[in-house]
Amino acid sequence: MPELPEVEVVRAGLERHVVGATIEAVEVLHPRPVRRDHRGPTGFAAALTGQRIEAVRRRGKYFWLALANGDALLGHLGMSGQMLLHEPGALDERHLRVRFTLAAPAPLVEGAPAPGSRPLEMRFVDQRMFGGLVVSAGGAELPSEIVHIARDPIDPEFDDDEFVRRARRRTSAVKRLLLDQGLVSGVGNIYADEALWRARLHGERPGDRLTGPVLRDLLGHVRDVMGQALAQGGTSFDALYVNVNGESGYFDRSLDAYGQEGEPCRRCGTPIRRVAFMNRSSFFCPTCQRPPRARRAGRR
């Protein structure tokens, strides 16, 4: 599933190309991606047609196009969603679900072409169709559908102290805390494993048994790994994650823990281990990341 770095790469790509453009037409080729929009496919298209795109924003794994009328086109990529940009007439993707025809932004000087003023098609492509799009009424600044989503660690307004306070009150395993989008957003399975490996923390360590300095150190590693992933265009294991130009990221070549089962730990040489975790997998070094001791009966 695309995580914060992958979604941020898509957001930044859209920002470069579609801000200032007007949505001329919307074609919903399959109803499932707009299933959460109460208007239905026809109403979804009507609500967007003629609207100018003012900005492209993100919170955690969600992104949205802020519209001139104060509404927003809110999107989530799910497991395999892609938001691609093409010149009109380009061959349709096999799993194309929604097509947006964009008119070029108005030129800054009358009679002069605007930068990047060629017409574009913005396409939502989704093989598995766990992703989706919805028009959020009044959601240009922050869609109401995602107000419960916490800020992410690379957001300048993320509150480290509040994260530490809340995490230390929880008995949940620290990896579960990292994946709790109401506590800290944007961190998924890949970057949780990578940050925990860097912090030398086992994912089953309970939050209430971690000190403030340990949790702050972990946040630092989360930021570092996400920053490095952003610099490399995100993590792509197959053709399902690409940026708006259809290009893959290559941070997967830098992974220390995730997907490295049986490979020697780059610190100590112990083979990386994989265990089942929430219908997925966790990867860790059994030497560098010691599992927690069991709690004694009657003690927290």
Side-chain angles (χ1 to χ4, degrees):
M1 176 183 290
E3 301 180 24
L4 184 154
E6 290 76 48
V7 179
E8 175 59 20
V9 168
V10 170
R11 186 211 64 79
L14 291 173
E15 183 178 60
R16 286 193 297 271
H17 296 287
V18 307
V19 171
T22 298
I23 302 172
E24 278 195 332
V26 180
E27 183 181 7
V28 179
L29 301 170
H30 196 292
R32 182 166 173 78
V34 299
R35 62 193 177 278
R36 293 188 177 89
D37 197 302
H38 66 87
R39 304 165 185 81
T42 301
F44 171 86
L48 294 170
T49 302
Q51 293 301 317
R52 184 176 185 272
I53 300 169
E54 296 284 306
V56 187
R57 300 186 171 113
R58 180 190 57 76
R59 176 163 287 194
K61 302 176 188 179
Y62 289 86
F63 67 94
W64 67 95
L65 279 59
L67 305 176
N69 68 348
D71 293 345
L73 171 59
L74 174 64
H76 192 284
L77 299 178
M79 294 292 292
S80 59
Q82 303 170 353
M83 206 66 158
L84 304 176
L85 298 173
H86 289 292
E87 293 186 4
L91 186 67
D92 285 355
E93 291 80 6
R94 178 180 177 186
H95 302 291
L96 175 61
R97 308 305 184 189
V98 186
R99 185 199 319 272
F100 303 86
T101 302
L102 306 182
L108 299 176
V109 179
E110 187 174 353
S117 61
R118 292 178 298 177
L120 280 176
E121 281 189 2
M122 184 172 66
R123 300 178 179 182
F124 185 70
V125 177
D126 193 358
Q127 177 179 330
R128 298 174 183 169
M129 292 200 289
F130 292 120
L133 303 170
V134 64
V135 178
S136 175
E141 290 300 320
L142 177 64
S144 60
E145 293 85 353
I146 60 170
V147 293
H148 63 289
I149 301 294
R151 294 185 182 275
D152 63 69
I154 65 173
D155 186 323
E157 296 187 40
F158 183 85
D159 189 334
D160 289 24
D161 292 337
E162 179 65 13
F163 169 81
V164 170
R165 281 193 295 270
R166 292 178 64 189
R168 294 195 69 206
R169 291 198 296 263
R170 305 269 286 273
T171 59
S172 299
V174 65
K175 181 170 179 179
R176 290 178 183 267
L177 297 180
L178 288 178
L179 299 182
D180 182 347
Q181 302 299 294
L183 180 63
V184 52
S185 70
V187 185
N189 207 34
I190 297 173
Y191 299 114
D193 280 357
E194 289 299 296
L196 289 166
W197 181 87
R198 293 182 181 205
R200 299 174 182 256
L201 282 177
H202 193 283
E204 291 299 319
R205 292 278 298 276
D208 66 345
R209 292 169 66 177
L210 298 175
T211 66
V214 167
L215 286 166
R216 288 186 175 87
D217 180 63
L218 175 60
L219 275 178
H221 289 297
V222 170
R223 291 186 173 110
D224 287 345
V225 73
M226 285 186 167
Q228 291 171 22
L230 273 169
Q232 297 181 41
T235 301
S236 299
F237 291 109
D238 54 34
L240 293 183
Y241 165 68
V242 293
N243 65 17
V244 296
N245 297 316
E247 299 169 341
S248 297
Y250 51 93
F251 187 68
D252 59 299
R253 303 172 193 173
S254 303
L255 294 173
D256 291 302
Y258 187 86
Q260 305 303 305
E261 182 182 16
E263 295 296 320
C265 171
R266 294 183 187 179
R267 274 194 302 256
C268 70
T270 304
I272 296 293
R273 186 175 297 171
R274 178 181 66 85
V275 295
F277 174 79
M278 297 172 60
N279 297 319
R280 290 173 284 182
S281 297
S282 282
F283 298 86
F284 66 97
C285 172
T287 298
C288 296
Q289 298 167 267
R290 296 287 187 182
R293 295 178 182 176
R295 293 182 186 271
R296 293 181 183 178
R299 292 186 61 185
R300 289 195 59 194

